Amino acid sequence: MTPHRPARDVAIVAFAQSDHRRRTDELSEVEMVMPVLHEVLRQTGLKTSDIGFTCSGSSDYLAGRAFSFTMALDGVGAWPPISESHVEADGAWALYEAWVKLLTGEADTALVYAYGKSSPGSVRDVLSRQLDPYYLAPLWPDSVALAALQAQALVDAGHTDEPALAAIAGRSRADAAANPHAQLPGARPQGEYVVQPLRTGDCPPVGDGVAAVILAAGDRARELCARPAWIRGMDHRIEAHSLGVRDLTDSPSTRLAAERAGAFERPVDTAELHAPFTSQEVVLTRALGLDDSVRINPSGGALAANPVMAAGLVRLGEAAARIHRGASDRALAHATSGPCLQQNLVAVLEGDPRA
Amino acid sequence: MTSKEPVAVVGIGQTKHVAARRDVSLAGLVREAAVRALEDAELTWADIDAVVIGKAPDFFEGVMMPELYLADALGAVGKPMIRVHTAGSVGGSTALVAANLVAARVHGTVLTLAFEKQSESNAMWGLSLPVPFQQPLLAGAGGFFAPHVRAYMRRTGAPDAIGSLVAYKDRRNALKNPYAHLHEHDLTLEKVQASPMLWDPIRYSETCPSSDGACAMVLTDRAGAARSPRPPAWVHGGAMRSEPTLFAGKDFVSPRAGRDCAADVYRQAGVTDPRREIDAVEMYVPFSWYEPMWLENLGFAEEGEGWKLTEAGVTELDGDLPVNPSGGVLSTNPIGASGMIRFAEAALQVRGEAGDHQVEGARRALGHAYGGGAQFFAMWLVGDTPPTT
């Protein structure tokens, strides 16, 4: 698989996110989204009417109602009417759709946002509804149990052990201490088993949150951002749904997406990996061939804040923000969807060379 | 900036749409349409670079993000797969997202598919989940749209009979379309007019059915089109527009998002007089009165004049501007697929492959979809020759 060269220079020029919290009972989805949209627009000075294309990611099943995204759109202020679309998936895929739109040349800027409120229901049970509806979903296998299957397979294969998983948990939350938006910042105990071999510390927090980014092409990106995070490549791949036909210790879809995105052409200095479970970080770092020279999840990752449907977009935003700040020159960002890393997206972001 | 890659439709497949496909799973249903599209294009799964899938709310079947489970059935394993959801316009939006992948030269050949298997659950209750400060139940979409139809009638002075003319026409057209859900051989205009009033002024025979069905298309680039065994349909313009559900300035009779979307498509396609330059229209008409309403919204008639085209027979299959030669949403409504069926039927027309419901000499056709509270619009214009710009 040879890397795909994008036909146009497109960059992430702004990123904003909410504080991710265990519950937000007092806020509607629109009330959660609005401050983040205002913040990301403020960073660029753009108004809704300046945006060429808008795309969002969310899930009706989290919201508990059909067409839940329509209310958030009302909050965007789609008047006069806007060019707009929505994916029923993590906002990382909304960013992908927007990137393709910019590559066609039909728009020069795009607003991408995603949100998820996990608090109204039991997210472990809700996610079980995305499994094969005839054979698997009726058994209600929950997301932690499925991740534990994967973790045990990794341990059995000798790719990791419980102390190594605990070290990932400890590093992530220690890093999150510097992230004002994180839900679980700072060191905390690994705790009891949730589903063996996964302990509380190996699992993500359940929480509510929002993320938004602005994309811009070419000179427009340079006008809007001092150091744009150029998208050098982006690709996503899906694997078979049934866990029984997959090697859960590997992630060929991540590797394929990374190849196509050009991730292996030169080393990256930073990787923001969407790994809600410590064991999944093991799978991803192996698939991507990341070594100790790469700073993994300096934000704390999904172990510190996992707003379902926004957590992948947060990875892209965090990686871009590091380039904006000059803390990274070439970063990899990853997002996942589906049980046990079924679907994976990889983007390679670069800053302009520094003088 | 290099220009966009031209996009061609080289394969189209549909299921026979029916009230309940109890003989197949969700996976079986979508695979049937996909295989037919591949056969039409004389391609195999290996020729497909990416899959773009759409459907309306997950509650309609009770499966969260069903594309994850459908990846295997659609040959997507190892490929990119993206799921679009823009309410009732989704079938159209999905095709446009797929077309952009080709236009941006990210992929050469893309399979796009939209489906709904309404019999797996109950669509009306799937849309009726109460949340605070909203109407908990509008008794289905008809309850939402009926007042806007009434507003159209008052605004334009259209006679009461127009809606029944549309329904009678579309149901007769459906008899010529082997994939259409409703085949009402003994239907008469009198029977439409005597059917029960559901949401005044919308009668039972003026409403869409609930269908199980899927529609698929294979989209490809110029090189792919050159290898196509049958004539391709070429995309000359495509656009999406959205506006808020509810606000004081909204015109529910002729939403500005619809007008803007059509104007963008015509601009891309170089169409200045749609009434003269477009040969067939596949329009999203779930309730019969939306034909005259959309004729105005899409620029085929002056404001207040749309019903006159319908009354004069202009939109009949043998009329000057045939609307819904396939029988339209009024005859077939697998909700998430309905928009893509409009896009695909427009493509069939310009390929000359529409069979008994072919519009003679159709060279340019419009596919149209809308959704939500008449707030999401997706349209494309296809032609029988490649775009020149």
Side-chain angles (χ1 to χ4, degrees), chain A:
Chain A
M1 178 81 37
T2 49
H4 171 257
R5 308 279 171 204
R8 202 177 185 204
D9 289 333
V10 175
I12 296 175
V13 295
F15 168 56
Q17 62 184 318
S18 63
D19 291 343
H20 305 290
R21 293 156 54 190
R22 176 60 187 90
R23 29 189 353 111
T24 52
D25 295 346
E26 74 287 7
L27 296 176
S28 72
E29 286 162 342
V30 184
E31 289 168 321
M32 255 174 54
V33 168
M34 291 307 295
V36 179
L37 290 183
H38 286 152
E39 167 59 21
V40 81
L41 288 165
R42 187 200 60 76
Q43 288 178 25
T44 57
L46 294 171
K47 299 187 293 293
T48 304
S49 55
D50 300 324
I51 298 288
F53 182 65
T54 301
C55 199
S56 60
S58 67
S59 165
D60 281 348
Y61 256 78
L62 282 183
R65 62 177 292 259
F67 296 148
S68 58
F69 60 90
T70 61
M71 293 298 135
L73 179 65
D74 281 16
V76 169
W79 190 261
I82 59 173
S83 176
E84 186 265 349
S85 186
H86 172 262
V87 299
E88 191 78 3
D90 189 288
W93 276 265
L95 188 149
Y96 181 83
E97 184 182 329
W99 178 64
V100 171
K101 179 82 174 178
L102 264 56
L103 291 183
T104 68
E106 289 174 16
D108 292 329
T109 53
L111 169 66
V112 179
Y113 64 96
Y115 58 92
K117 281 183 77 149
S118 297
S119 61
S122 160
V123 74
R124 287 171 69 172
D125 291 333
V126 171
L127 289 174
S128 77
R129 302 301 83 197
Q130 63 179 204
L131 301 170
D132 177 321
Y134 304 103
Y135 294 106
L136 205 51
L139 304 174
W140 292 86
D142 74 63
S143 49
V144 180
L146 296 179
L149 272 178
Q150 187 172 31
Q152 189 60 51
L154 284 166
V155 172
D156 291 347
H159 296 322
T160 192
D161 53 27
E162 292 191 35
L165 297 180
I168 291 170
R171 189 208 71 225
S172 297
R173 286 169 185 131
D175 282 344
N179 177 355
H181 304 288
Q183 187 178 333
L184 292 187
R188 49 195 67 229
Q190 267 298 76
E192 300 297 314
Y193 285 121
V194 183
V195 182
Q196 210 166 344
L198 296 180
R199 295 173 183 272
T200 316
D202 295 306
C203 301
V206 174
D208 304 347
V210 182
V213 309
I214 289 177
L215 302 180
D219 289 341
R220 199 80 183 93
R222 292 186 184 87
E223 290 164 19
L224 296 172
C225 180
R227 190 165 193 254
W230 300 105
I231 301 173
R232 296 302 184 205
M234 178 156 45
D235 192 61
H236 59 98
R237 301 279 152 169
I238 198 165
E239 295 179 34
H241 182 65
S242 171
L243 304 182
V245 303
R246 286 159 55 191
D247 175 359
L248 295 180
T249 66
D250 194 11
S251 183
S253 57
T254 299
R255 193 179 303 112
L256 203 55
E259 278 175 26
R260 172 93 173 177
F264 301 136
E265 295 188 314
R266 285 190 295 120
V268 296
D269 56 49
T270 301
E272 277 285 343
L273 305 178
H274 184 190
F277 297 91
T278 52
S279 43
Q280 294 181 338
E281 186 181 300
V282 175
V283 177
L284 293 169
T285 51
R286 282 171 48 82
L288 292 165
L290 300 178
D291 59 27
D292 292 344
S293 68
V294 181
R295 184 79 171 93
I296 293 175
N297 288 347
S299 67
L303 285 164
N306 187 40
V308 178
M309 301 302 147
L313 184 60
V314 170
R315 304 280 74 73
L316 285 143
E318 290 281 8
R322 235 171 122 74
I323 288 172
H324 297 163
R325 293 196 296 269
S328 168
D329 292 322
R330 180 172 156 93
L332 180 150
H334 159 268
T336 195
S337 177
C340 296
L341 305 171
Q342 184 192 351
Q343 190 178 19
N344 294 283
L345 178 148
V346 173
V348 176
L349 306 175
E350 279 183 358
D352 286 324
R354 281 176 283 200

Side-chain angles (χ1 to χ4, degrees), chain B residues 46-62:
Chain B
D47 298 311
I48 299 299
D49 300 318
V51 178
V52 183
I53 185 171
K55 64 168 262 66
D58 294 3
F59 286 108
F60 282 180
E61 288 85 9

